[in-house]
């Protein structure tokens, strides 16, 4: 089954390109470390999922590119074409001339409705190219105007037009210290609206990825391209083909469905975080070896302690012991705050993957009490190595990972809203103060729900 | 891609405008080696086939035939505009883009605004419409003028009104040159305050400029290039004040160096809209992020570096120096010290070989020494454009919405009151049809209100921070 990607705004298009590029590079990789038959199976599944065939034989990404100004899309299309290994369908894009001016209201209330039909036509066309549609994957930032505002509107339209398909929104959480001054408003508006129409929101934080580039990848002068490539690697490590159950003989046909089923048992809880280890520069790869027990142990502690990368993990944090009362969350020593999960998914790729012991993730102490720990945890595997990493482990988690982030961003937005600064820029395009209040209410609800786990 | 139209009014406006068109051609020539009319060029130029004489049809793609500036030149005396039309830029403008008269406005805002405004309104609207019709997607009008005289100040602000009436959806960015204390035009305070009211009400963003600041920057550059302190030679065409490499070949005029700085300001402001980059910053984004309340739209600008040394490898330290300089009071284009006042918002538009990590490192470094208003503690807007300006490997434009503009306005108000109390020269104004005493009182009132808004914000600087309590949710 296939996934149709919708790339929205500058960020969405820049990242979308890196994702397809990473997937395509992995597809062609000769470091698969598995049998020829396995590799062919993998490639088959990968192709069906992300690319359609064209007469020229060059795989065409299953994607729709949307932006309100032309420069980025034009660059993206030409970079893909130049690679020689894959390309976009040059009909499958929509752009305008003026951009959304970082204004969520402009993206949502003006551009969205105005261009709804054209864009949904493009999406329909891509959907029809698929033998079977697994669902939609949208890529967007929250800070700007198009990705955020128009992205929220398009997600709503996708929900209306494809009520039975899965929708996963990949959202980019902006740097804490501004890229855009009104980023907190735009983010609050985006999150609250996506919550109504999306099945799940998968979050990547610029600050966290930046640190990974600096400390793990050893990049001196970090560009957005570097950041986007790390994000693409992380996404690829989850969405490339896997066997999603023990003893499965075929690669999973329904990645988005499997993801939702594993991770989103309740519509109030849709925020997903992603961690991937190991992560390092290509030069260092050749000199490093990892063991599965080591990787699993680190990944588990990253989950428990809410660490963003494999360096600097706080090993003091422990899950509460059975029978003992859970320590108060607002404890003075915030560093020992334990990250409670609803559900977790671990994806393992590479050598000796069959022998991995993931028992540590089945510990009931990690989870809230609603789900049977057997149901709360899933693992997907493939012996086929990903992107030159001999062993790679990813964690997609529906937990309190994003609680602090959400609380911060709502706090800052609320602080600005109290002074009414910039609100006139939004009311100009039809988003009134009451709309803001509704969004704040929705998010405070989500925050309270996650905090009470 | 969007288009912008430049409306240059009065002597100062046209002289700056002239430098702008010269330097923008130089910039595009450096980037566009193949002579193809591309999207970037279309931002400020039309491509016209004039082979068969007259004003040919617009050509949208392919080779460049003849570039015509998207501009309107307005002056109530002919000297400056005539000079432009006889100079090396004559082919870039055509007669249809001019509105001139003979006798000037006598340094009288009322003559410029009420008399000539009324007289030329139809004309102005017609010419604006025709430039707008040549635009696929017109995004912004750039008005360039001075505040202290009669034409730029009076007629310039009249045109601003017309722009709002006729093209309400198009942004209005105004570059205004404010008079200094020792201005030789006695009535410049009257003209400036009367113009301020119009700017308060009808402009989206105003970039105030003061000649004293431009002059200090020119002196500084002069000093550095002539003192031999630099060791290696300075690249001539990198000077912020230089016309080197542009069409203009004759002797530089006295104001040219200063006007080049303002021209460079406009080039940098529009660079991300014209050229690609990893984080684009369009003009509508500038207005969105830097104007938290409609009337507080005065942006203090600074440009760095002022020049480049000829050696190619610029170590990181020099890059960081560029960021530090942008916040120093010596690099601001008005006499102001943003570091010691309160920031409402700040934008950094970086051009050239600079990446997001450089940007972040410098923001982290400089943030602690800057005061931001309580509701916008992380109020930074950033943009990365890949194409550097001519002669540089990188450059930075900082735009600050900062209470440091207040002294400029209070001084203006004081100078105004000094004259107004004695009713000095008032009769020259009241003579003009449509001009009344109430115009003066409304104007000074508008300025006072603006100053008061800044005062209130400044007061919050020392007040203890209180966080508004969040919404409580019943579980």
């Amino acid at each position: 089954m296939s996934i149709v990607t919708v790339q929205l705004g500058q960020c969405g298009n820049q990242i979308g390109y890196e994702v397809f590029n990473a997937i395509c590079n992995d597809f062609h990789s000769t470091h698969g470390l598995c049998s020829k038959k396995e590799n062919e199976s993998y490639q088959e599944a990968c192709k069906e999922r992300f690319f359609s065939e064209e007469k020229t034989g060059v795989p065409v990404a299953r994607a729709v590119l949307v932006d309100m100004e032309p420069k980025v899309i034009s660059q993206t299309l030409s970079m893909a074409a130049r690679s020689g290994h894959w390309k976009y369908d040059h009909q499958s894009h929509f752009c305008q001339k003026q951009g959304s001016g970082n204004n969520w209201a402009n993206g949502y209330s003006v551009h969205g409705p105005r261009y709804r039909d054209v864009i949904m036509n493009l999406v329909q066309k891509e959907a029809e190219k698929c033998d079977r549609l697994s669902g939609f994957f949208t890529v967007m930032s929250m800070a700007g105007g198009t990705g955020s505002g128009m992205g929220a509107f398009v997600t709503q339209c996708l929900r209306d037009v494809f009520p039975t398909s899965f929708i996963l929104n990949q959202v980019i959480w902006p740097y804490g210290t501004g890229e855009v001054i009104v980023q907190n408003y735009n983010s609050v508006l985006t999150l609250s609206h996506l919550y109504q129409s999306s099945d799940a929101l998968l979050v990547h934080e610029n600050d966290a990825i930046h640190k990974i580039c600096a400390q793990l990848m050893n990049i001196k002068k970090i560009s957005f391209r570097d950041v986007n490539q790390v994000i693409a690697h992380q996404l690829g490590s989850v969405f490339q083909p896997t066997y999603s159950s023990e003893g499965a003989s075929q690669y999973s046909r329904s990645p988005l469905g499997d993801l939702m089923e594993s991770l989103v048992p309740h519509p109030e809880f849709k925020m997903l975080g992603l961690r991937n280890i190991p992560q390092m520069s290509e030069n260092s790869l050749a000199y490093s070896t990892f063991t599965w027990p080591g990787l699993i142990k680190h990944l588990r502690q990253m989950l428990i302690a809410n660490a963003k990368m494999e360096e600097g993990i706080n090993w003091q944090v422990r899950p509460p012991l059975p029978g003992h009362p859970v320590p108060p969350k607002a404890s003075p020593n915030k560093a020992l705050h334990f990250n409670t999960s609803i559900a977790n998914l671990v994806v393992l790729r590479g050598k000796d993957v069959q022998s991995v012991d993931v028992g540590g993730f089945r510990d009931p102490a990690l989870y809230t009490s609603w789900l049977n720990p057997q149901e709360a945890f899933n693992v997907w595997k493939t012996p086929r190595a990903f992107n030159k990493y001999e062993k790679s482990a990813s964690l997609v988690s529906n937990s309190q990972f994003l609680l602090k982030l959400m609380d911060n961003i709502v706090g800052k937005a609320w602080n600005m809203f109290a002074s009414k600064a910039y609100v006139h820029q939004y009311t100009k395009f039809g988003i009134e103060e009451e709309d803001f209040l509704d969004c704040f209410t929705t998010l405070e609800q989500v925050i309270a729900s996650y905090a009470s786990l | 891609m969007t288009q912008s139209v430049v409306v240059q009014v009065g002597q100062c406006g046209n002289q700056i405008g002239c430098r702008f068109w010269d330097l923008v051609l130089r910039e595009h020539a450096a980037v566009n080696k193949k002579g193809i009319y591309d999207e970037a060029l279309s931002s400020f130029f039309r491509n016209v086939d004039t082979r068969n004489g007259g004003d040919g049809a617009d050509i949208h793609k392919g080779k460049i035939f003849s570039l015509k500036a998207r501009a309107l030149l307005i002056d109530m005396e002919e000297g400056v505009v005539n000079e432009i039309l006889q100079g090396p830029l004559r082919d870039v403008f055509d007669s249809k883009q001019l509105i001139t008269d003979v006798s000037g406005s006598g340094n009288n805002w009322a003559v410029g605004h009420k008399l000539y405004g009324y007289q030329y309104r139809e004309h102005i609207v017609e010419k604006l419409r025709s430039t707008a019709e040549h635009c696929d997607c017109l995004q912004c009008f750039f008005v360039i003028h001075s505040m202290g005289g009669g034409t730029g100040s009076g007629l310039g602000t009249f045109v601003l009104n017309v722009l709002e009436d006729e093209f309400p959806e198009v942004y209005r960015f105004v570059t205004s040159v404010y008079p200094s204390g020792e201005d030789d035009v006695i009535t410049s305070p009257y003209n400036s305050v009367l113009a301020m009211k119009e700017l308060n009400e009808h402009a989206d963003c105003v970039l105030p400029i003061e000649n004293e600041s431009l002059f200090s920057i020119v002196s500084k550059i002069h000093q550095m290039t002539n003192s031999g302190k630099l060791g290696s030679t300075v690249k001539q065409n990198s000077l912020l004040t230089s016309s080197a490499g542009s069409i203009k070949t004759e002797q530089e005029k006295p104001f040219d160096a200063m006007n080049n700085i303002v021209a460079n300001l406009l080039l940098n402001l529009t660079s991300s809209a014209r050229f690609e980059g990893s984080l684009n910053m369009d003009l509508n984004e500038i207005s969105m992020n830097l104007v938290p309340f409609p009337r507080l739209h005065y942006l203090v600008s600074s440009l760095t570096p002022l020049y480049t040394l000829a050696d190619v490898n610029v170590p990181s330290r020099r890059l960081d120096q560029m960021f530090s300089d942008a916040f120093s009071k010596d690099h601001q284009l008005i006499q102001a010290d943003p570091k010691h006042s309160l920031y409402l918002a700040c934008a950094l538009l970086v051009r050239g070989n600079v990446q997001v990590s450089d940007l972040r490192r410098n923001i982290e470094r400089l943030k602690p020494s800057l005061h931001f208003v309580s509701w916008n503690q992380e109020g930074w807007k950033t943009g990365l454009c890949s194409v550097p300006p001519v002669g540089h490997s990188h450059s930075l434009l900082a735009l600050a919405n900062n209470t440091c503009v207040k002294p400029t306005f209070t001084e203006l108000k004081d100078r105004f009151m000094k004259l107004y109390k004695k009713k000095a020269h008032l009769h020259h104004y009241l003579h003009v049809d449509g001009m009344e005493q109430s115009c003066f009182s409304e104007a000074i009132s508008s300025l006072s209100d603006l100053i008061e808004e800044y005062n209130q914000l400044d007061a919050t600087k020392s007040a203890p921070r209180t966080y508004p309590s969040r919404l409580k949710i019943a579980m």
Side-chain angles (χ1 to χ4, degrees), chain B residues 193-224:
Chain B
V193 173
L194 289 163
M196 274 292 286
K197 174 168 177 292
E198 307 299 316
L199 293 182
N200 280 342
E201 292 171 16
H202 305 292
D204 287 311
C205 281
V206 178
L207 301 159
I209 312 278
E210 282 178 319
N211 276 340
E212 288 143 310
S213 302
L214 296 180
F215 189 71
S216 334
I217 292 174
V218 169
S219 307
K220 196 169 171 172
I221 293 178
H222 197 71
Q223 207 182 29
M224 290 306 266

Short mmCIF file of all heavy atoms in Angstrom, two decimals, chain B residues 193-224:
data_model
loop_
_atom_site.label_atom_id
_atom_site.label_comp_id
_atom_site.label_asym_id
_atom_site.label_seq_id
_atom_site.Cartn_x
_atom_site.Cartn_y
_atom_site.Cartn_z
N VAL B 193 6.57 67.24 10.85
CA VAL B 193 5.48 66.81 11.73
C VAL B 193 4.20 66.61 10.93
O VAL B 193 3.44 65.67 11.16
CB VAL B 193 5.26 67.81 12.88
CG1 VAL B 193 4.02 67.47 13.67
CG2 VAL B 193 6.48 67.83 13.78
N LEU B 194 3.95 67.50 9.97
CA LEU B 194 2.76 67.33 9.12
C LEU B 194 2.86 66.02 8.35
O LEU B 194 1.88 65.28 8.19
CB LEU B 194 2.63 68.52 8.16
CG LEU B 194 2.23 69.84 8.83
CD1 LEU B 194 2.53 71.03 7.93
CD2 LEU B 194 0.74 69.82 9.20
N ALA B 195 4.07 65.70 7.89
CA ALA B 195 4.25 64.45 7.16
C ALA B 195 4.13 63.25 8.08
O ALA B 195 3.59 62.20 7.70
CB ALA B 195 5.61 64.44 6.47
N MET B 196 4.59 63.38 9.32
CA MET B 196 4.54 62.27 10.28
C MET B 196 3.12 61.76 10.46
O MET B 196 2.87 60.56 10.59
CB MET B 196 5.07 62.68 11.66
CG MET B 196 6.54 62.57 11.86
SD MET B 196 7.14 60.87 11.88
CE MET B 196 6.59 60.29 13.46
N LYS B 197 2.18 62.67 10.53
CA LYS B 197 0.79 62.25 10.74
C LYS B 197 0.38 61.31 9.61
O LYS B 197 -0.26 60.28 9.83
CB LYS B 197 -0.12 63.48 10.76
CG LYS B 197 -1.61 63.10 10.83
CD LYS B 197 -2.47 64.32 11.16
CE LYS B 197 -3.95 64.00 11.17
NZ LYS B 197 -4.49 63.68 9.85
N GLU B 198 0.78 61.66 8.39
CA GLU B 198 0.43 60.81 7.24
C GLU B 198 1.11 59.46 7.34
O GLU B 198 0.51 58.42 7.05
CB GLU B 198 0.84 61.50 5.93
CG GLU B 198 0.31 62.91 5.77
CD GLU B 198 -1.20 62.97 5.78
OE1 GLU B 198 -1.84 62.13 5.12
OE2 GLU B 198 -1.76 63.85 6.45
N LEU B 199 2.37 59.48 7.78
CA LEU B 199 3.09 58.21 7.91
C LEU B 199 2.46 57.34 8.99
O LEU B 199 2.33 56.13 8.84
CB LEU B 199 4.56 58.46 8.28
CG LEU B 199 5.43 59.13 7.23
CD1 LEU B 199 6.87 59.23 7.74
CD2 LEU B 199 5.43 58.38 5.92
N ASN B 200 2.04 57.99 10.08
CA ASN B 200 1.40 57.24 11.16
C ASN B 200 0.18 56.50 10.65
O ASN B 200 -0.07 55.36 11.02
CB ASN B 200 0.91 58.18 12.28
CG ASN B 200 2.03 58.59 13.19
OD1 ASN B 200 3.08 57.96 13.23
ND2 ASN B 200 1.83 59.66 13.94
N GLU B 201 -0.58 57.19 9.81
CA GLU B 201 -1.89 56.66 9.42
C GLU B 201 -1.88 55.82 8.15
O GLU B 201 -2.75 54.97 7.98
CB GLU B 201 -2.89 57.81 9.25
CG GLU B 201 -3.22 58.46 10.58
CD GLU B 201 -4.03 59.74 10.41
OE1 GLU B 201 -4.58 59.94 9.31
OE2 GLU B 201 -4.08 60.52 11.37
N HIS B 202 -0.94 56.06 7.25
CA HIS B 202 -1.07 55.41 5.94
C HIS B 202 0.08 54.51 5.52
O HIS B 202 0.00 53.88 4.47
CB HIS B 202 -1.29 56.47 4.87
CG HIS B 202 -2.46 57.36 5.17
ND1 HIS B 202 -3.76 56.92 5.16
CD2 HIS B 202 -2.50 58.67 5.54
CE1 HIS B 202 -4.56 57.92 5.49
NE2 HIS B 202 -3.84 58.99 5.73
N ALA B 203 1.14 54.48 6.31
CA ALA B 203 2.26 53.63 5.89
C ALA B 203 2.19 52.29 6.61
O ALA B 203 1.70 52.21 7.74
CB ALA B 203 3.59 54.31 6.23
N ASP B 204 2.65 51.22 5.96
CA ASP B 204 2.73 49.92 6.63
C ASP B 204 4.01 49.85 7.46
O ASP B 204 4.01 49.37 8.58
CB ASP B 204 2.71 48.78 5.62
CG ASP B 204 1.32 48.59 5.01
OD1 ASP B 204 0.36 48.53 5.80
OD2 ASP B 204 1.21 48.53 3.78
N CYS B 205 5.12 50.29 6.85
CA CYS B 205 6.40 50.33 7.56
C CYS B 205 7.15 51.58 7.16
O CYS B 205 7.13 51.95 5.99
CB CYS B 205 7.29 49.16 7.16
SG CYS B 205 6.88 47.64 7.95
N VAL B 206 7.82 52.20 8.13
CA VAL B 206 8.64 53.37 7.80
C VAL B 206 10.07 53.07 8.21
O VAL B 206 10.32 52.57 9.32
CB VAL B 206 8.15 54.62 8.56
CG1 VAL B 206 9.05 55.81 8.24
CG2 VAL B 206 6.71 54.94 8.18
N LEU B 207 11.02 53.38 7.33
CA LEU B 207 12.43 53.24 7.66
C LEU B 207 13.00 54.64 7.79
O LEU B 207 13.31 55.27 6.78
CB LEU B 207 13.15 52.47 6.54
CG LEU B 207 12.60 51.07 6.27
CD1 LEU B 207 12.99 50.58 4.88
CD2 LEU B 207 13.11 50.10 7.30
N PRO B 208 13.10 55.16 9.00
CA PRO B 208 13.61 56.52 9.13
C PRO B 208 15.12 56.55 8.95
O PRO B 208 15.83 55.62 9.35
CB PRO B 208 13.23 56.90 10.57
CG PRO B 208 12.92 55.64 11.27
CD PRO B 208 12.73 54.55 10.28
N ILE B 209 15.58 57.61 8.29
CA ILE B 209 17.01 57.79 8.03
C ILE B 209 17.40 59.18 8.49
O ILE B 209 16.61 60.12 8.33
CB ILE B 209 17.30 57.73 6.50
CG1 ILE B 209 16.62 56.55 5.83
CG2 ILE B 209 18.80 57.76 6.25
CD1 ILE B 209 17.33 55.25 5.95
N GLU B 210 18.60 59.32 9.08
CA GLU B 210 19.06 60.66 9.42
C GLU B 210 20.39 60.92 8.76
O GLU B 210 21.29 60.08 8.82
CB GLU B 210 19.17 60.82 10.95
CG GLU B 210 17.81 61.05 11.59
CD GLU B 210 17.88 61.15 13.10
OE1 GLU B 210 18.62 60.38 13.72
OE2 GLU B 210 17.17 62.01 13.64
N ASN B 211 20.51 62.11 8.16
CA ASN B 211 21.73 62.45 7.43
C ASN B 211 22.97 62.37 8.30
O ASN B 211 24.03 61.94 7.83
CB ASN B 211 21.61 63.85 6.82
CG ASN B 211 20.89 63.82 5.48
OD1 ASN B 211 20.81 62.78 4.84
ND2 ASN B 211 20.38 64.94 5.06
N GLU B 212 22.83 62.75 9.57
CA GLU B 212 24.01 62.72 10.45
C GLU B 212 24.60 61.32 10.52
O GLU B 212 25.82 61.14 10.53
CB GLU B 212 23.63 63.12 11.87
CG GLU B 212 23.31 64.58 12.02
CD GLU B 212 22.17 64.78 13.02
OE1 GLU B 212 21.13 64.09 12.86
OE2 GLU B 212 22.32 65.60 13.92
N SER B 213 23.70 60.32 10.60
CA SER B 213 24.18 58.94 10.69
C SER B 213 24.86 58.53 9.39
O SER B 213 25.93 57.90 9.42
CB SER B 213 23.02 57.99 10.97
OG SER B 213 22.39 58.37 12.16
N LEU B 214 24.25 58.90 8.29
CA LEU B 214 24.85 58.53 7.00
C LEU B 214 26.22 59.19 6.89
O LEU B 214 27.19 58.57 6.45
CB LEU B 214 23.97 59.00 5.84
CG LEU B 214 22.58 58.37 5.74
CD1 LEU B 214 21.84 58.93 4.54
CD2 LEU B 214 22.68 56.87 5.62
N PHE B 215 26.28 60.42 7.34
CA PHE B 215 27.54 61.16 7.25
C PHE B 215 28.61 60.51 8.10
O PHE B 215 29.76 60.36 7.66
CB PHE B 215 27.31 62.61 7.67
CG PHE B 215 28.48 63.48 7.42
CD1 PHE B 215 28.84 63.83 6.12
CD2 PHE B 215 29.28 63.92 8.46
CE1 PHE B 215 29.95 64.61 5.87
CE2 PHE B 215 30.40 64.71 8.23
CZ PHE B 215 30.74 65.06 6.93
N SER B 216 28.27 60.10 9.32
CA SER B 216 29.29 59.45 10.16
C SER B 216 29.78 58.17 9.54
O SER B 216 30.96 57.86 9.61
CB SER B 216 28.81 59.07 11.56
OG SER B 216 27.80 59.83 11.98
N ILE B 217 28.85 57.42 8.93
CA ILE B 217 29.26 56.17 8.30
C ILE B 217 30.21 56.46 7.13
O ILE B 217 31.24 55.80 6.97
CB ILE B 217 28.04 55.36 7.83
CG1 ILE B 217 27.26 54.86 9.06
CG2 ILE B 217 28.45 54.19 6.97
CD1 ILE B 217 25.96 54.16 8.73
N VAL B 218 29.88 57.47 6.36
CA VAL B 218 30.74 57.84 5.25
C VAL B 218 32.13 58.22 5.76
O VAL B 218 33.15 57.80 5.22
CB VAL B 218 30.13 59.00 4.43
CG1 VAL B 218 31.14 59.55 3.44
CG2 VAL B 218 28.89 58.53 3.70
N SER B 219 32.16 59.02 6.81
CA SER B 219 33.45 59.45 7.37
C SER B 219 34.25 58.27 7.85
O SER B 219 35.46 58.19 7.62
CB SER B 219 33.25 60.37 8.58
OG SER B 219 32.41 61.41 8.24
N LYS B 220 33.55 57.36 8.51
CA LYS B 220 34.23 56.18 9.04
C LYS B 220 34.90 55.38 7.93
O LYS B 220 36.05 54.97 8.04
CB LYS B 220 33.20 55.33 9.76
CG LYS B 220 33.78 54.31 10.66
CD LYS B 220 32.67 53.71 11.51
CE LYS B 220 33.23 52.53 12.28
NZ LYS B 220 32.29 52.03 13.24
N ILE B 221 34.13 55.18 6.87
CA ILE B 221 34.67 54.40 5.76
C ILE B 221 35.85 55.13 5.13
O ILE B 221 36.89 54.53 4.84
CB ILE B 221 33.58 54.15 4.70
CG1 ILE B 221 32.50 53.23 5.26
CG2 ILE B 221 34.17 53.56 3.44
CD1 ILE B 221 31.36 52.97 4.31
N HIS B 222 35.69 56.41 4.97
CA HIS B 222 36.74 57.24 4.38
C HIS B 222 38.02 57.12 5.19
O HIS B 222 39.11 56.93 4.66
CB HIS B 222 36.24 58.69 4.38
CG HIS B 222 37.00 59.57 3.46
ND1 HIS B 222 36.90 59.49 2.09
CD2 HIS B 222 37.91 60.55 3.71
CE1 HIS B 222 37.70 60.39 1.55
NE2 HIS B 222 38.32 61.05 2.51
N GLN B 223 37.84 57.21 6.48
CA GLN B 223 38.96 57.14 7.40
C GLN B 223 39.68 55.80 7.28
O GLN B 223 40.89 55.74 7.19
CB GLN B 223 38.41 57.27 8.81
CG GLN B 223 39.37 57.83 9.80
CD GLN B 223 38.71 57.87 11.16
OE1 GLN B 223 37.82 57.05 11.46
NE2 GLN B 223 39.12 58.78 11.99
N MET B 224 38.89 54.74 7.26
CA MET B 224 39.48 53.41 7.22
C MET B 224 40.20 53.16 5.91
O MET B 224 41.25 52.54 5.88
CB MET B 224 38.41 52.33 7.42
CG MET B 224 37.82 52.30 8.81
SD MET B 224 39.10 52.15 10.06
CE MET B 224 39.16 50.40 10.29
#
